Amino acid sequence: MMTFAQFIFYFFSAILLFAGLRVITARNPVHAALNLVLAFFTAAGLWMTLEAEFLAITLVLVYVGAVMVLFLFVVMMLDINLDKLREGFWDYLPLALPVAILLMLEMTVVLGGRFFGLDKTAAPAAHPAGYSNTKELGRLIYTQYVYAFEIAAVILLVAIVAAIALTMRKRKDTKYIDPAKQVSVKRADRLRIVKMVAEKKGVTGEEQG
Amino acid sequence: MEFMQNLLGAWWTPLWTLVKIMIIVIPLMLAVAYVTYAERKVIGWMQVRIGPNRVGYQGLLQPIADGLKLLMKEIIIPSGANKGLFILGPILAIAPALAAWAVIPFTDKWVLANIDAGLLYVMAITSMGVYGVIVAGWASNSKYAFLGAMRSAAQIVSYEIAMGFALVGVLMASQSLNLVDIVNGQAGGIHHWYFLPLFPLFMVYLISGVAETNRAPFDVAEGESEIVAGFHVEYSGMAFAVFFLAEYANMILIAALTTLMFLGGWLSPFTFLPDGFIWWAMKVAFVLFLFLWFRATFPRYRYDQIMRLGWKVFIPITIVWIVVVGGMMQTPYKHWFH
């Protein structure tokens, strides 16, 4: 008899494997991207069972909520010709096959935990109900690993600045709007009320109306 | 209750949770129906009209009649649409709008799941609401729908950043991610509520909330006068109604979150009056009234103005105020900030 936690694990794993498989087999790139969203979400569920709720929720918040939205955005806008994309797909086999075999071997080693002495160390003890994973993670990042964390942050900042600098090409003839000027505009700048006599004589208001 | 517990054994927990979910979702759906009625009445009065007054006393049965009408209508699937995703769109829109309510406390005892990272959970779940809009817009195979989806995606992703930063200020002040603790941190009368020390963040959160729910004046995703109805232009009948339900459920959710984080949740404004759910409901109703008031008052923003407001005004304001809060907490005045 499976415990409930085991049932959850296998349930999520099955969905994750299915979604991962569909990412690479779906013919429509939008379907593939949506399956990747499902894979991320399911992976977050699995992390939750590891008591890593901060990482799990951040995975959903960052990857599902922001990164994949923009990804989907791009995939939907591109006019991808699938037949052209699949042309010469099998030509890569001589390179792909060794890589795939290597990957599979590595995964076998990792997943067969006895090579790492997994059977000799005890399973980590479950934390009590009041344990806050977020607080512990924050404490570690800002004390023990503060330099590594700061360096990673600076590298990301440099990457952002570099990406913007590379893509920012300002055209000289671009017309652009200055909102400050728009807000400060007065009626007198745009509108002039002139008084003039009626052109036609003898037409009453009722006939005009 | 104990008798039932013994009778049902292992089935007690799932069944009791299901009952509690129903206790939240059914009044929520009723509230959604009557927010639509309130919207039509309030905007009617603001524009010196009467509003719906035919079905039932003072038009009170109008939302029921609307619901029945939409239920009876045929759901038309456009011939060039991607059928599976076309049907998935409304489901993806409403599921996060309901799932987020799991962690919303109504009083310090009435909460379905009092989880430690409640605030993060709400942010993560609400950030998924955009998929309903994008998937619906793309699957409809219509240019108007697609334009609406693109506008909405860019807008929601932009304002989510400002919203997230506003919440960082709240969690700095309360030193907790748990929604019950955040409200308890504001105990002691109206001058202890976070909207005073975090006033800029409160404004940013409220306005970003309007933008996140695609409400006027940020409703470019629908923009009736520009792109017909935006992402749900091809939807009819109940499929359209589900989008409608999701929008209003999200509105109530944003109002509830604003109440919990800045307006003291279920706490009473004066210490001599008892706390309770009634305060929560009154504050949520007030924030919802603001939503309706905005819609009746402001003309729609132009798209570039929305982007400018989000990126160049709100995000800098939040970053500056986070630094101010952090700085103030190191001074003797820190009691003002939490």
Side-chain angles (χ1 to χ4, degrees):
Chain A
M1 183 64 191
M2 263 195 293
T3 64
F4 188 62
Q6 276 173 326
F7 168 73
I8 294 273
F9 172 78
Y10 284 112
F11 181 67
F12 276 63
S13 307
I15 297 177
L16 181 59
L17 282 178
F18 171 76
L21 201 66
R22 289 296 294 155
V23 173
I24 51 170
T25 55
R27 289 191 63 86
N28 189 328
V30 173
H31 288 187
L34 285 172
N35 273 300
L36 191 55
V37 172
L38 180 62
F40 278 140
F41 195 77
T42 324
L46 279 177
W47 287 6
M48 201 73 97
T49 62
L50 292 173
E51 299 180 8
E53 75 257 15
F54 180 79
L55 288 179
I57 296 176
T58 314
L59 181 69
V60 174
L61 187 64
V62 176
Y63 280 89
V64 177
V67 174
M68 285 313 293
V69 172
L70 299 177
F71 209 83
L72 211 57
F73 203 99
V74 173
V75 167
M76 284 174 175
M77 299 262 245
L78 291 177
D79 189 21
I80 299 171
N81 189 340
L82 280 175
D83 295 324
K84 213 166 201 176
L85 214 65
R86 291 192 179 249
E87 231 168 62
F89 181 76
W90 292 106
D91 297 354
Y92 296 105
L93 193 67
L95 181 66
L97 205 63
V99 171
I101 292 172
L102 206 63
L103 271 176
M104 225 165 80
L105 280 176
E106 285 173 355
M107 281 164 100
T108 324
V109 171
V110 172
L111 293 177
R114 63 196 171 86
F115 298 105
F116 287 103
L118 197 64
D119 46 350
K120 291 187 181 64
T121 50
H127 294 288
Y131 173 78
S132 171
N133 170 258
T134 316
K135 204 170 238 171
E136 290 305 315
L137 199 67
R139 188 167 289 143
L140 270 184
I141 282 178
Y142 285 99
T143 54
Q144 202 168 342
Y145 299 106
V146 67
Y147 291 123
F149 180 67
E150 296 286 324
I151 290 169
V154 170
I155 291 172
L156 278 175
L157 184 68
V158 170
I160 293 173
V161 173
I164 294 173
L166 281 176
T167 51
M168 193 140 97
R169 291 199 196 91
K170 207 157 202 175
R171 278 171 52 187
K172 288 273 188 308
D173 55 343
T174 313
K175 289 180 182 170
Y176 75 100
I177 294 161
D178 184 355
K181 279 186 188 162
Q182 283 187 310
V183 170
S184 63
V185 82
K186 294 278 180 305
R187 191 189 64 177
D189 304 338
R190 297 278 167 87
L191 185 76
R192 189 166 56 92
I193 296 174
V194 289
K195 270 222 157 71
M196 60 184 289
V197 287
E199 298 266 313
K200 266 185 180 170
K201 292 265 157 51
V203 182
T204 65
E206 272 168 41
E207 277 168 281
Q208 273 178 335
Chain B
M1 202 174 270
E2 236 170 83
F3 168 72
M4 290 294 286
Q5 218 162 342
N6 291 333
L7 188 72
L8 291 164
W11 288 99
W12 167 252
T13 314
L15 274 178
W16 180 230
T17 311
L18 203 65
V19 170
K20 283 195 277 194
I21 291 172
M22 285 297 133
I23 292 174
I24 295 175
V25 170
I26 291 170
L28 179 66
M29 286 292 123
L30 275 176
V32 164
Y34 279 91
V35 169
T36 65
Y37 171 76
E39 173 163 40
R40 295 168 69 178
K41 272 288 186 196
V42 168
I43 295 182
W45 288 327
M46 285 180 180
Q47 297 168 347
V48 205
R49 294 184 283 112
I50 295 171
N53 67 344
R54 289 291 149 197
V55 193
Y57 174 72
Q58 292 286 314
L60 268 172
L61 295 177
Q62 185 69 43
I64 314 281
D66 286 344
L68 276 177
K69 184 196 81 172
L70 284 168
L71 263 175
M72 299 297 193
K73 280 184 135 180
E74 185 190 357
I75 297 174
I76 299 163
I77 298 177
S79 55
N82 190 317
K83 199 176 170 198
L85 290 183
F86 188 80
I87 294 168
L88 191 68
I91 299 170
L92 283 179
I94 195 151
L98 296 181
W101 283 90
V103 297
I104 302 292
F106 299 93
T107 73
D108 52 351
K109 299 283 185 305
W110 297 357
V111 50
L112 178 61
N114 187 6
I115 65 171
D116 179 63
L119 193 58
L120 266 178
Y121 170 85
V122 169
M123 280 169 71
I125 292 295
T126 49
S127 73
M128 287 175 53
V130 63
Y131 281 102
V133 175
I134 302 186
V135 166
W138 183 79
S140 297
N141 194 25
S142 152
K143 287 201 172 62
Y144 287 131
F146 192 57
L147 278 173
M150 290 290 122
R151 285 177 171 199
S152 168
Q155 179 181 324
I156 292 181
V157 170
S158 308
Y159 277 82
E160 217 164 61
I161 299 171
M163 254 180 144
F165 274 136
L167 298 188
V168 169
V170 174
L171 68 93
M172 279 170 80
S174 64
Q175 310 203 331
S176 173
L177 281 169
N178 181 306
L179 289 165
V180 176
D181 289 347
I182 289 175
V183 176
N184 284 336
Q186 306 175 56
I190 191 166
H191 56 282
H192 285 276
W193 297 354
Y194 289 147
F195 80 99
L196 285 175
L198 306 178
F199 190 73
L201 300 182
F202 171 59
M203 293 313 290
V204 167
Y205 187 81
L206 190 62
I207 300 170
S208 302
V210 181
E212 280 278 296
T213 46
N214 286 326
R215 295 276 308 171
F218 298 96
D219 60 342
V220 290
E222 291 170 30
E224 291 95 334
S225 53
E226 298 162 16
I227 49 172
V228 195
F231 62 92
H232 57 52
V233 67
E234 301 291 347
Y235 282 85
S236 58
M238 213 48 209
F240 165 76
V242 169
F243 275 119
F244 210 72
L245 289 176
E247 182 184 326
Y248 282 83
N250 268 326
M251 251 169 78
I252 303 176
L253 180 72
I254 295 286
L257 285 172
T258 313
T259 303
L260 290 172
M261 284 180 295
F262 295 101
L263 302 175
W266 56 82
L267 301 172
S268 81
F270 312 106
T271 39
F272 55 84
L273 289 174
D275 305 330
F277 174 71
I278 184 77
W279 293 110
W280 186 95
M282 272 159 55
K283 289 168 192 171
V284 170
F286 170 71
V287 179
L288 281 172
F289 176 75
L290 291 180
F291 273 71
L292 308 184
W293 193 1
F294 292 156
R295 182 171 169 194
T297 308
F298 297 120
R300 185 178 302 134
Y301 265 104
R302 214 172 49 212
Y303 194 73
D304 61 312
Q305 291 170 330
I306 291 184
M307 284 296 141
R308 178 180 163 271
L309 186 70
W311 289 99
K312 291 189 175 172
V313 180
F314 282 174
I315 293 177
I317 287 179
T318 51
I319 291 175
V320 167
W321 206 253
I322 286 172
V323 175
V324 170
V325 173
M328 287 306 279
M329 284 167 81
Q330 305 302 319
T331 67
Y333 303 106
K334 68 176 179 187
H335 61 280
W336 285 356
F337 285 85
H338 63 83

